[in-house]
Amino acid sequence: MSYILAKSKNEDILKAGECGGAVTSIFKYLLDEGIVDGVLALSPHDDVYDGIPTFVTNSEDLINTAGSYHCAPTMIGDLIQKYFADKKVAVAVKPCDIRSIDELIKRHKINPDNIYTVGLNCGGTVSPVSGRKMIDLFYEASPDDVISEEIDKGQFIIELADGSEEAVKIHDLEKEGYGRRNNCQRCDVKIPRKANIACGNWGAEDGWTFIEINDDKGQKLIDGAKKAGILETKSPNEAAIEGRAKVEKIMIKMSKKNQEATYPLVNEVEEWNRCIGCYACRDVCPICWCYKNCELSKSYFKDDIIASPMPIAFQGVRLSHMSFSCVDCGQCDDVCPMDIPVSLVFDKLQKKYQNRTGYLAGVSDDIKPPLYSPDKVEL
Amino acid sequence: MFEIKHTLCPSCSVGCGINVILDNDEVVGTFPYKRHPVNEGKNCLNGRNSVERFNDKIGSDIDLDKAIMEISKEINDSDKVTVLLSGNNSLEEASAIKSFSDENNFNIAFYADDLGNFEDVASYNDVENASNVLIIGDILCENPLVGRRIVHAKQNNAKIFSNIKAEKSVTANISDEVSSSSVGEFLDKYSNLDDSSVIVFNTVDSAEDLDKIRNSGLKVLPVYSKPNTKGVLSIVEDNSKDELIEVLNDTDVLLVVNDNIVDEIDFDFKSISKIISLSAFENDTTKISDIVIPIKSWLEYDGSFVNAMGDTQNFSGVLESDVSSVFEIFEKINN
Ligand SMILES: Cc1cc2nc3c(=O)[nH]c(=O)nc-3n(C[C@H](O)[C@H](O)[C@H](O)COP(=O)(O)OP(=O)(O)OC[C@H]3O[C@@H](n4cnc5c(N)ncnc54)[C@H](O)[C@@H]3O)c2cc1C
Ligand code: SF4
Ligand code: SF4
Ligand code: SF4
Ligand code: SF4
């Protein structure tokens, strides 16, 4: 593992990039050299609150994907598994994305040789509609005038077209039920170390991206992009490295505190009571890869669920099949029409499992997922 | 090429946004549309399935010119032609169908779930901020993304009273009081609620219930089963089930535009000599139709739907298609 600061040598990318445009430049290198068939990143559709996964095959289009979209809580693991299994792709991944990819690799659903994973450190994402409401309520500016947002030094910062900025403390926003999604407030994996490289603004100088190189493939990405003349690098100083480590530690501590505060509060029976059995949580879950072959699609379960609104059978099957691998990505909460805090229930159980076995989903280096390690199944 | 594109859900009148995943111009799945203000990325099973079943479209391998000739002959030969509008028609389609029908002096019929037309309706925010919510029908299961607003109302300390005929339901699970009485009795029981109370309903027992709801002085939200019923109500008046049956009894040629009326009313359709369906998907009505013309589905054209709370929302086609649109078919018939 080593650290570098990196910056794009392409002016347009440098300008459009969130920090040093390193991520976009590495993607450009991979596409231009024909190393990958395409790049899976985000681009804003209607506005900055509408970041949508986009597959780019022409490096000129990469410019539309540069920048960080904090109001785009997307998930990419299942997309790769379902639609890109036979392609070589480079992909931008938050910690929850790479954790789901890691779990899918362990299940032989993604071939690690086919993907290049460029990690983004992540302090959290905000749901777009509630994010707009939050800006409307807590900021002078209108949500329509925001051209980019940023989470830094404990603040949610918005930038307007005229270059001005407004900031409000995340803590104050979250106290009022706004700010980062609930699962993000609990998420304790902030640097995606299972990705080939992990990029971020922590420890970075202005106009540079701080990169932690996690493996040989990551080193090759950096070396290749430099050789292609699109990336320049330098070493960060010790103070920056230490500062970054310190912020990571503080963030993790905050998340643990949120875990302790929220795990005991959830009343599963009351929450499941309004479950309409719509399967949205299962269908979106990157770990529930069996999808159409799911045990729950078998007729004996189907009839049961429709006949009775008590979804214990359904949620029980899912909990027992995959909760030990839950990566707390919050997709299930996001899609639940009944606003059931599904991830809280699943994540709570995974943490319980972690406490007993040491296995942290999508992070621990176990070769096989717990389902195939009978010694670890017992709780 | 992999692409994710925005559209609207066509499976009920709530007006949820939904993203379609396309792989090499084929619909392969859905993706949460989290930026959409109505549903924030949440869709019920019906909604997601409506996109998934896109691939079951009616094939376009018919001799269109021949079919159009046949239709022209049928409708010219009869003076008892009825055109059935549908809440599945976009605003633009509904206007075109109405003009076509008027120009040719055909009867026009339109069924709006027997829920009537309410000029002023409650918004979804009104539901969330209501002091009391009166629910008629299993809204949580049948229109989940309005059901969600009722859940929010409950979390905001509203009292929830529901009238549901089914023995068990999720709507009942979240209600403070549940009744299975007639809708009329139910409304009488709660006739003294304050004026920030809202009635949300997707069914009634009779037209008298609608009068009661109208006279309640409360905000009301009828939730129709089709995406643009509210919009079509601004173009034509609706018929109750009984009125519709009367019209059908006096019909020789029935032209159904993108609807499945057979599943909605109890009527002996064999009494109609010719049924012509314009439809994107196969359904029980196309199955009994004498002529079926495939048309573009909502994923293949641009248009607008008015949702239950009265907001007009535009949608854009996500796919190119050679299949004719409703407009093209009517133009051809007219020529
Ligand atoms: C939601 C979010 C939170 C972050 N929080 C932190 C933090 O707390 N600390 C820290 O050190 N760094 C954080 N980062 C990383 C940082 O903002 C930069 O993305 C990183 O430094 C790379 O900068 P760059 O200029 O090299 O990237 P760019 O060249 O601008 O490329 C960024 C890439 O990320 C993709 N992307 C943007 N938004 C998302 C998203 N929501 N999900 C998936 N991919 C996305 C873009 O499509 C693009 O490919 C966060 C990033 C995101 C997206
Ligand atoms: S779950 Fe973690 S990695 Fe994923 S968006 Fe939230 S904070 Fe970021
Ligand atoms: S259960 Fe929910 S939070 Fe856990 S991995 Fe699945 S979608 Fe993500
Ligand atoms: S998404 Fe929500 S309502 Fe639907 S099955 Fe899952 S928990 Fe139940
Ligand atoms: S509630 Fe209605 S509009 Fe929303 S997803 Fe379900 S069927 Fe579609």
Side-chain angles (χ1 to χ4, degrees), chain B residues 50-332:
Chain B
S50 59
V51 173
E52 307 252 333
R53 81 180 258 260
F54 173 79
N55 296 322
D56 303 333
K57 274 197 61 179
I58 295 178
S60 53
D61 49 349
I62 62 154
D63 185 339
L64 188 62
D65 291 335
K66 195 172 148 226
I68 298 276
M69 289 236 296
E70 258 180 80
I71 295 175
S72 304
K73 185 174 174 314
E74 292 297 340
I75 59 182
N76 287 335
D77 286 355
S78 167
D79 54 1
K80 287 181 179 176
V81 179
T82 299
V83 179
L84 186 74
L85 265 165
S86 163
N88 294 328
N89 306 141
S90 69
L91 273 182
E92 300 72 15
E93 286 176 333
S95 302
I97 299 165
K98 164 102 168 54
S99 311
F100 168 81
S101 183
D102 289 351
E103 280 161 26
N104 292 291
N105 275 324
F106 298 150
N107 279 322
I108 199 151
F110 175 51
Y111 180 58
D113 303 330
D114 271 332
L115 299 183
N117 187 12
F118 290 75
E119 284 295 321
D120 283 326
V121 288
S123 69
Y124 303 158
N125 281 341
D126 290 336
V127 175
E128 286 187 334
N129 298 318
S131 51
N132 303 283
V133 182
L134 292 187
I135 310 176
I136 306 169
D138 192 359
I139 296 280
L140 262 71
C141 248
E142 286 154 16
N143 312 98
L145 274 304
V146 162
R148 172 175 179 242
R149 306 301 180 122
I150 301 176
V151 170
H152 292 176
K154 188 178 167 73
Q155 287 161 348
N156 292 334
N157 295 321
K159 285 265 176 276
I160 315 292
F161 307 114
S162 54
N163 181 260
I164 302 168
K165 305 290 189 276
E167 207 174 293
K168 277 185 181 175
S169 71
V170 180
T171 305
N173 285 358
I174 66 137
S175 301
D176 293 281
E177 289 175 24
V178 188
S179 103
S180 56
S181 68
S182 70
V183 171
E185 281 170 42
F186 172 73
L187 290 167
D188 287 343
K189 182 168 174 197
Y190 299 104
S191 58
N192 290 323
L193 299 179
D194 67 61
D195 60 8
S196 82
S197 308
V198 179
I199 306 177
V200 183
F201 64 107
N202 67 9
T203 182
V204 288
D205 296 337
S206 67
E208 289 78 57
D209 295 340
L210 291 180
D211 292 336
K212 259 193 190 153
I213 290 172
R214 237 175 229 113
N215 297 328
S216 66
L218 305 182
K219 289 182 184 148
V220 296
L221 183 66
V223 190
Y224 306 98
S225 63
K226 294 173 197 164
N228 194 37
T229 299
K230 179 88 184 139
V232 179
L233 282 168
S234 66
I235 295 168
V236 293
E237 272 187 35
D238 66 310
N239 303 105
S240 68
K241 211 172 259 181
D242 293 341
E243 288 167 352
L244 188 60
I245 288 172
E246 222 170 279
V247 175
L248 293 178
N249 270 325
D250 195 33
T251 297
D252 279 342
V253 179
L254 176 66
L255 187 62
V256 185
V257 191
N258 205 5
D259 206 283
N260 185 14
I261 192 67
V262 167
D263 280 4
E264 287 179 281
I265 62 166
D266 197 8
F267 179 77
D268 178 18
F269 284 89
K270 287 196 202 89
S271 67
I272 299 175
S273 42
K274 282 280 168 201
I275 301 179
I276 301 159
S277 257
L278 271 56
S279 182
F281 300 98
E282 193 174 298
N283 57 37
D284 287 340
T285 307
T286 61
K287 275 184 204 149
I288 62 149
S289 296
D290 301 279
I291 305 173
V292 178
I293 306 263
I295 49 169
K296 278 187 166 54
S297 79
W298 92 111
L299 288 181
E300 296 157 310
Y301 66 83
D302 302 345
S304 43
F305 291 153
V306 181
N307 70 5
M309 68 167 166
D311 279 358
T312 304
Q313 304 192 96
N314 298 326
F315 59 91
S316 302
V318 302
L319 277 172
E320 297 282 321
S321 145
D322 300 336
V323 180
S324 304
S325 63
V326 166
F327 310 101
E328 287 161 340
I329 300 286
F330 280 132
E331 206 178 294
K332 281 193 175 135

Side-chain angles (χ1 to χ4, degrees), chain A residues 46-47 50 55 73 83-84 128-129 132 273-275 278 280 283 309 331 333-339, chain B residues 1-2 4 6 19 21 28 31-36 40 42 45 48 52 140 144 148 151-152 170 173-174:
Chain A
D46 292 348
D47 54 27
D50 193 26
F55 191 61
Y83 307 113
F84 297 97
V129 173
R132 285 176 56 87
N273 207 20
R274 62 175 187 279
C275 171
C278 71
D283 293 353
Q331 295 303 318
D333 300 0
D334 288 358
V335 300
C336 176
M338 291 297 127
D339 287 347
Chain B
M1 189 60 186
F2 173 93
I4 294 179
H6 293 334
N19 281 325
I21 305 179
V28 290
F31 192 79
Y33 185 172
K34 296 187 184 179
R35 170 72 178 85
H36 199 277
E40 302 178 38
K42 299 157 190 282
L45 189 59
R48 300 191 325 275
E52 307 252 333
L140 262 71
R148 172 175 179 242
V151 170
H152 292 176
V170 180
N173 285 358
I174 66 137

